Amino acid sequence: MAAPQAVRRTSRNVSKISVTSLSAWFGQAQVLRSLDMSIEERQVTAIIGPSGCGKSTFIRCINRMHELVPSAAVSGSVLLDGQDVYDRAVDPVLLRRRVGMVFQKPNPFPTMTVRENVLAGLVLTRKLRRRARADEVIERALSQAALWDEVKDRLDAPGGGLSGGQQQRLCIARALAVEPDVLLMDEPCSALDPIATARIEDLLHSLRDHYTIVIVTHNMSQATRVSDKTGFFLGGDLVEYAETNQLFTSPEDSRTEDYITGKFG
Amino acid sequence: MTRQHTDREYEAELQRVRDYLLPMAGLVESMIADGARAFLRLDRELAEATTKADQKVNQLEVDTDELCLLILAKRQPLASDLRFITTAMKMVTDLERIGDLAVNIAQRALALDRAPNPQTADVIDGMTKAVLSMLREALAAFVAHDTGRARAIWDLDDAVDGHYRELCDHAQELMQSDPCAVERGVHIQAVAKFLERIGDHATNLGELVVFMVEGQDVRHRGKLDDHRRQKRDTGA
């Protein structure tokens, strides 16, 4: 039997992630209904829609976190660089190294230091062998997360002692430390104040050059500021998917128009 | 029926913008008619009343802009709401300029020594009616979200341009035939220009309605295409 592998990187595909006929269930309840969506490489793609429309489930299907929920089921395909992430040969743990995730609430390991938090992913996947490399990874990841200058003198302090915005950037640094290709962000700023939110948004502008980012957000102004393309989900369907500028100024579907102008419900 | 916003206060704020715009448009419409009438009849009182009315137009411009700015800050409007607010902010600028032009026409009445002759007066009257018709159509299109009516305004502007050329000819003939009438001829020419500019602003309003409803920017039709074509052909 072949050893489990991470999805191979290829350069043939125009889209980084290609979703076809993706459906997802929690028990009997269908939360995604045969979605087709193509997410382009090194772009920020925003997912918007009302609560319960399947946004979070959608991104959790991309890195196979959905299947961790008992009674969850998935059908259809999710291709990452052309290879189906649901292929039996794909190891979900290795997949999640390539497809990192940042959650709504900052969740650093509270008893671990800043340093240990950044390295947690590498330690768990046994990718860290040398101390010198560890220092290099820490500085790179924290710099990429725009946190290095603020914490470089307290790397051995507990991660839980940082402010909310710093904790969220620490989580981003933790995700970046394993050098993913894709970063999934599930409402990463909803628990943050406007300054911390601005820092994360500024960070997204610099990260888009190196990573493919998919961000779920309830904040439509944020989607207009940070994303290249936006998908509007409703009742498990992808109603409209377009260039962000187009979708927020002249949406084609009246359901999108009603939702983004607040005429929904 | 158009769906209402879930937030009723927001809905009321957008309605207030409409409530500022429409009376403002009605006011400048009266000012054009009054300014032209004052010029044709040498009615100083009406000319001064027209000038005074402009203060209210200016105030409505400032109030509308202030309200739109507040809505942008508070609501971060999107899609049709965003197009409506940006359209409103541009419409008040055009309407305010139309008000100024009506004042300019009225002030020529104060400077005129004698009323224009009947033939010239007929053309001024016809041109005034034509620009008023354009303005009314633009507002009707705005209220009804009717882009067909908005687009039809562009054709009406051709008639205004025709009147403009005719008036310029009248003014020229007048000045050539009677050296004492040069000043009057200059005033007639100026009024023709003011009315022609009002027609241009009414055209702008029609274009804004198309943008507001369809999200399509139709300003500078043709000219931008020519420019792009020229750039492509020259490789610039």
Side-chain angles (χ1 to χ4, degrees):
Chain A
M1 189 178 125
Q5 58 185 43
V7 174
R8 275 179 287 112
R9 295 168 197 236
T10 64
S11 56
R12 286 195 305 274
N13 308 85
V14 175
S15 59
K16 186 75 182 173
I17 301 164
S18 187
V19 173
T20 309
S21 303
L22 181 68
S23 294
W25 292 262
F26 287 110
Q28 297 298 309
Q30 188 169 2
V31 285
L32 293 178
R33 300 173 186 281
S34 195
L35 294 188
D36 295 325
M37 191 170 181
S38 174
I39 293 169
E40 286 163 37
E41 188 167 34
R42 289 180 190 163
Q43 288 213 336
V44 179
T45 302
I47 308 291
I48 61 165
S51 297
C53 69
K55 306 181 294 287
S56 297
T57 303
F58 173 73
I59 61 168
R60 292 166 75 95
C61 285
I62 295 175
N63 71 346
R64 292 183 56 173
M65 283 187 69
H66 178 62
E67 69 195 40
L68 299 177
V69 178
S71 85
V74 180
S75 74
S77 75
V78 177
L79 305 186
L80 176 64
D81 286 333
Q83 188 175 6
D84 194 342
V85 302
Y86 287 96
D87 189 295
R88 290 176 67 185
V90 172
D91 178 350
V93 175
L94 295 181
L95 169 71
R96 287 175 207 133
R97 273 199 64 201
R98 288 196 60 203
V99 186
M101 191 148 185
V102 176
F103 298 87
Q104 183 175 358
K105 203 174 161 212
N107 59 351
F109 300 113
T111 55
M112 283 188 189
T113 64
V114 170
R115 178 194 306 277
E116 289 164 345
N117 262 286
V118 175
L119 297 177
L122 289 173
V123 171
L124 286 171
T125 52
R126 300 197 184 97
K127 289 285 171 188
L128 199 66
R129 304 206 191 282
R130 289 181 295 112
R131 167 82 191 199
R133 170 155 152 72
D135 290 344
E136 192 186 302
V137 168
I138 289 164
E139 183 170 349
R140 178 186 54 78
L142 287 170
S143 299
Q144 279 189 315
L147 188 60
W148 174 249
D149 288 341
E150 293 166 55
V151 300
K152 64 184 176 193
D153 298 324
R154 44 180 171 147
L155 295 175
D156 294 315
L162 301 178
S163 71
Q166 288 173 328
Q167 286 186 25
Q168 191 63 306
R169 280 179 284 148
L170 179 59
C171 294
I172 293 172
R174 185 174 68 194
L176 297 179
V178 296
E179 299 183 49
D181 286 353
V182 178
L183 202 54
L184 306 173
M185 307 180 99
D186 194 354
E187 296 185 54
C189 302
S190 61
L192 304 183
D193 67 33
I195 303 295
T197 297
R199 288 217 169 89
I200 301 280
E201 289 181 8
D202 186 50
L203 176 60
L204 287 175
H205 291 305
S206 56
L207 293 178
R208 75 189 337 151
D209 293 338
H210 307 284
Y211 304 95
T212 301
I213 298 169
V214 185
I215 178 170
V216 167
T217 178
H218 273 297
N219 181 336
M220 283 176 287
S221 299
Q222 179 171 67
T224 62
R225 288 190 296 266
V226 302
S227 69
D228 302 290
K229 290 185 87 171
T230 298
F232 169 55
F233 280 46
L234 183 63
D237 290 316
L238 175 61
V239 171
E240 189 164 351
Y241 183 40
E243 297 287 329
T244 295
N245 289 348
Q246 170 71 27
L247 189 133
F248 284 107
T249 54
S250 299
E252 282 187 1
D253 195 292
S254 61
R255 292 169 293 175
T256 315
E257 165 80 30
D258 284 350
Y259 179 70
I260 65 178
T261 56
K263 294 172 191 157
F264 192 80
Chain B
M1 189 188 133
T2 310
R3 293 190 70 181
Q4 302 253 311
H5 292 82
T6 309
D7 186 333
R8 281 174 294 173
E9 197 180 309
Y10 183 24
E11 187 71 33
E13 285 167 359
L14 294 172
Q15 186 54 46
R16 269 177 66 206
V17 175
R18 285 181 209 106
D19 291 346
Y20 280 151
L21 271 174
L22 293 176
M24 185 179 177
L27 202 54
V28 297
E29 202 179 304
S30 306
M31 286 172 69
I32 298 168
D34 289 347
R37 201 174 300 129
F39 184 79
L40 293 174
R41 297 181 187 170
L42 286 190
D43 186 335
R44 290 175 176 278
E45 212 172 306
L46 191 56
E48 272 156 14
T50 306
T51 305
K52 202 171 170 197
D54 195 40
Q55 291 171 8
K56 188 149 192 212
V57 170
N58 292 344
Q59 187 59 53
L60 281 167
E61 182 196 22
V62 171
D63 291 346
T64 310
D65 272 344
E66 190 180 312
L67 180 56
C68 289
L69 207 62
L70 195 68
I71 291 172
L72 286 171
K74 275 170 71 176
R75 311 288 181 182
Q76 290 103 47
L78 292 167
S80 59
D81 292 340
L82 179 62
R83 298 200 305 272
F84 169 68
I85 293 296
T86 52
T87 296
M89 292 181 87
K90 290 186 169 202
M91 279 181 81
V92 289
T93 306
D94 277 305
L95 289 172
E96 192 275 335
R97 286 294 300 132
I98 292 175
D100 287 348
L101 290 162
V103 168
N104 292 342
I105 294 170
Q107 283 173 345
R108 295 290 166 157
L110 300 174
L112 209 59
D113 59 342
R114 194 197 303 175
N117 66 41
Q119 292 90 338
T120 304
D122 274 353
V123 184
I124 293 176
D125 190 46
M127 191 170 180
T128 305
K129 283 180 178 146
V131 297
L132 281 172
S133 164
M134 286 176 75
L135 185 58
R136 284 188 197 116
E137 280 304 294
L139 296 171
F142 171 73
V143 171
H145 283 219
D146 186 339
T147 53
R149 281 179 95 162
R151 285 191 161 90
I153 293 165
W154 307 335
D155 296 331
L156 296 177
D157 197 36
D158 293 342
V160 170
D161 290 343
H163 285 301
Y164 173 65
R165 282 189 294 273
E166 200 179 345
L167 262 185
C168 286
D169 290 345
H170 276 250
Q172 206 172 350
E173 277 167 30
L174 179 68
M175 290 188 282
Q176 279 168 349
S177 63
D178 180 4
C180 299
V182 168
E183 200 176 321
R184 203 180 324 136
V186 169
H187 291 316
I188 289 167
Q189 229 167 13
V191 166
K193 188 69 201 164
F194 297 145
L195 287 170
E196 191 265 340
R197 290 293 300 133
I198 291 174
D200 290 344
H201 286 291
T203 304
N204 290 350
L205 295 175
E207 290 168 345
L208 287 169
V209 170
V210 173
F211 171 72
M212 180 183 80
V213 178
E214 296 177 357
Q216 192 189 346
D217 191 343
V218 291
R219 292 173 301 169
H220 314 296
R221 300 170 305 282
K223 287 181 195 163
L224 283 178
D225 293 338
D226 289 347
H227 179 64
R228 285 191 201 106
R229 205 172 301 122
Q230 203 177 358
K231 268 182 81 175
R232 193 189 57 216
D233 292 346
T234 57

